[in-house]
Amino acid sequence: MAQQRNDIRILNIVGARPNFMKIAPIHRLMQASDRFRATLVHTGQHYDEKMSQVFFHDLKLPQPDIYLGCGSGSHAQQTGAIMMALERIILELQPQLVLVVGDVNSTLAAALVASKLHVRIAHVEAGLRSFDRSMPEEINRLVTDSLADFLFVTEESGRRNLLSEGIHPDKIFFVGNVMIDSLKSHLAQAQQSTILDQLQLNHHPFALLTLHRPSNVDDQHTFDRILLALEQIASRVPIIFPIHPRARKMLTQFRFDHRIERAKNIRLIEPLGYLDFLQLMKNASFVLTDSGGIQEETTVLGIPCLTLRRNTERPVTVELGTNVLMGMDTDRIVAESFKILDGHSRPGQIPPLWDGQAAQRIVAILEQRL
Ligand code: UD1
């Protein structure tokens, strides 16, 4: 019998900033295919214009079909609110598959709800492990992977971790990295961004900083050690710091604002959209970050990345890419930054299958298996 058109009903779930660039290439392909009826659901975990809406615009993502408006709260409140809202949607729409990306609370909440309603789950970016259970994301990754039916991994370590946790090999698919699909397809457009002019950085060296992990910004002592390093680095090069709402809140709470003001070369700016941030990253002398995705993006762009963490769930960026783990050691952060400024940085390689085709592989596998 011939296949019906639009016969596979899928919910594509997004919630927080790092989800949008991962879902965009997948959702676009599903919309273009006559096999899928894909519904885009936004949990509302991130809701500020600069944390959410700007990404829909930059990535040309259609507005979400369903917006749950769950917002912020403690982990239990946020996860619970998303679960309750999503349960109603799944019961109403009866999808065959719920597709989740990354490791945020929205990912976990959607996987829990789908599994209890016996709906199959695809997890994009499965298998990554920091082996640090004090990170909320590590809990989200472990639980989501244990429930998922299709586990799409970005790097070889992901497959190894899943196999060692007893996941059946038939469920694991090494497909590459959808975040890199988005990066590759938006580089030319990012070139049109005027952000370098706006910040008067054209042809000037600068460092780019992002910071938002609770372990870094919610802990006064750790935040202080990072700031001490930044103050020294800023004596040689301006540091551009698009600040995450969580970091801004803690900066004020710890009364660190005046230190930023005094160190004139640390330039706090509002969170940026996707294209402006890509353009800054591509032109930075180096990047300081505690983000997950930025470790991957800098590796592909060949920009040195100093990760302000003790561990990474993305080891390929250290083994092959441009990433170096710094821990919270002030002197080490300063020394590595100065080494880069003196022209001693490690050229990286692009990890296998980070070629811009990951979403195509995912959609082809789902089309075949569902
Ligand atoms: C979340 C993810 C993290 C991801 C990060 C990217 C979890 C557990 N964490 O962390 O993995 O790297 O997003 O940004 O899911 N807030 C706003 N406006 C917003 C959203 C949040 O002001 O649009 C503030 C609120 O005060 C909120 C706080 O930021 O309480 C934290 O937001 P939340 O979504 O809980 O976690 P993130 O730190 O953003």
Side-chain angles (χ1 to χ4, degrees):
M1 199 176 68
Q3 285 282 359
Q4 283 175 2
R5 301 183 144 234
N6 298 328
D7 58 348
I8 308 174
R9 290 185 307 281
I10 297 196
L11 297 191
N12 287 329
I13 311 290
V14 289
R17 184 167 64 177
N19 292 160
F20 305 126
M21 60 293 273
K22 294 172 191 167
I23 213 79
I26 300 173
H27 192 68
R28 196 168 297 125
L29 283 176
M30 286 183 177
Q31 283 194 310
S33 152
D34 59 9
R35 288 292 316 285
F36 296 99
R37 199 188 315 155
T39 302
L40 187 61
V41 182
H42 188 330
T43 66
Q45 174 172 348
H46 285 173
Y47 42 86
D48 284 357
E49 143 83 23
K50 294 192 167 81
M51 298 296 287
S52 174
Q53 187 51 38
V54 63
F55 289 84
F56 283 78
H57 176 265
D58 282 2
L59 294 157
K60 296 202 174 60
L61 252 178
Q63 287 308 303
D65 299 293
I66 298 170
Y67 185 75
L68 303 178
C70 294
S72 303
S74 70
H75 284 273
Q77 284 166 345
Q78 188 174 59
T79 310
I82 298 168
M83 286 178 71
M84 288 195 288
L86 197 58
E87 187 177 52
R88 281 195 298 275
I89 304 296
I90 295 182
L91 285 171
E92 188 187 326
L93 298 183
Q94 300 281 323
Q96 278 110 311
L97 185 86
V98 168
L99 184 142
V100 296
V101 296
D103 55 16
V104 302
N105 284 344
S106 300
T107 312
L108 168 73
L112 279 169
V113 175
S115 69
K116 299 265 174 126
L117 294 174
H118 312 296
V119 176
R120 288 200 276 180
I121 300 161
H123 184 205
V124 175
E125 209 182 85
L128 298 180
R129 296 289 180 268
S130 64
F131 303 101
D132 173 2
R133 291 200 182 189
S134 69
M135 282 178 85
E137 294 82 2
E138 183 75 352
I139 309 295
N140 296 346
R141 291 188 280 257
L142 280 161
V143 177
T144 303
D145 284 342
S146 72
L147 301 174
D149 302 277
F150 298 91
L151 297 107
F152 295 113
V153 305
T154 52
E155 58 169 272
E156 189 48 43
S157 75
R159 186 207 296 275
R160 272 200 314 272
N161 295 332
L162 294 172
L163 289 173
S164 75
E165 287 167 22
I167 306 280
H168 196 284
D170 288 354
K171 292 184 180 176
I172 306 170
F173 305 90
F174 180 22
V175 290
N177 192 329
V178 285
M179 191 160 210
I180 303 309
D181 293 10
S182 272
L183 178 126
K184 290 201 166 207
S185 59
H186 288 85
L187 268 182
Q189 242 178 299
Q191 200 71 34
Q192 312 297 317
S193 152
T194 57
I195 190 73
L196 292 170
D197 285 333
Q198 288 172 44
L199 298 173
Q200 297 173 322
L201 289 171
N202 256 321
H203 313 297
H204 292 289
F206 65 94
L208 179 62
L209 165 72
T210 81
L211 210 57
H212 75 283
R213 294 261 162 229
S215 56
N216 280 338
V217 301
D218 291 4
D219 181 277
Q220 184 162 4
H221 180 61
T222 307
F223 206 161
D224 173 56
R225 279 181 20 202
I226 294 173
L227 266 182
L228 282 171
L230 298 177
E231 284 158 350
Q232 294 181 60
I233 298 164
S235 70
R236 283 195 56 180
V237 71
I239 300 174
I240 309 301
F241 184 11
I243 191 164
H244 184 283
R246 178 192 282 279
R248 184 180 283 283
K249 196 167 73 184
M250 299 318 290
L251 199 73
T252 310
Q253 195 167 313
F254 297 146
R255 300 182 197 281
F256 285 156
D257 312 56
H258 66 281
R259 287 174 63 180
I260 303 272
E261 276 159 34
R262 214 170 29 204
K264 292 201 171 43
N265 249 351
I266 305 178
R267 293 170 60 182
L268 266 187
I269 57 173
E270 290 292 309
L272 292 170
Y274 185 64
L275 297 172
D276 286 343
F277 191 78
L278 263 189
Q279 176 70 342
L280 273 191
M281 202 162 31
K282 191 163 157 270
N283 287 279
S285 305
F286 64 101
V287 174
L288 294 150
T289 191
D290 61 6
S291 147
I294 292 171
Q295 298 171 46
E296 301 181 332
E297 292 169 330
T298 46
T299 272
V300 170
L301 293 170
I303 301 295
C305 179
L306 303 181
T307 293
L308 305 174
R309 290 173 48 189
R310 289 197 178 83
N311 52 48
T312 178
E313 59 288 330
R314 294 160 159 90
V316 77
T317 60
V318 175
E319 288 151 17
L320 288 184
T322 57
N323 189 19
V324 187
L325 290 180
M326 291 290 102
M328 304 313 143
D329 180 340
T330 304
D331 293 341
R332 173 121 200 267
I333 299 168
V334 175
E336 286 291 330
S337 300
F338 285 1
K339 231 165 84 181
I340 296 168
L341 289 172
D342 292 336
H344 307 295
S345 58
R346 192 165 59 102
Q349 288 172 47
I350 297 187
L353 297 189
W354 291 18
D355 56 0
Q357 309 294 317
Q360 284 195 23
R361 294 187 192 102
I362 290 171
V363 170
I365 290 166
L366 291 176
E367 234 179 74
Q368 205 179 60
R369 308 273 171 132
L370 283 171

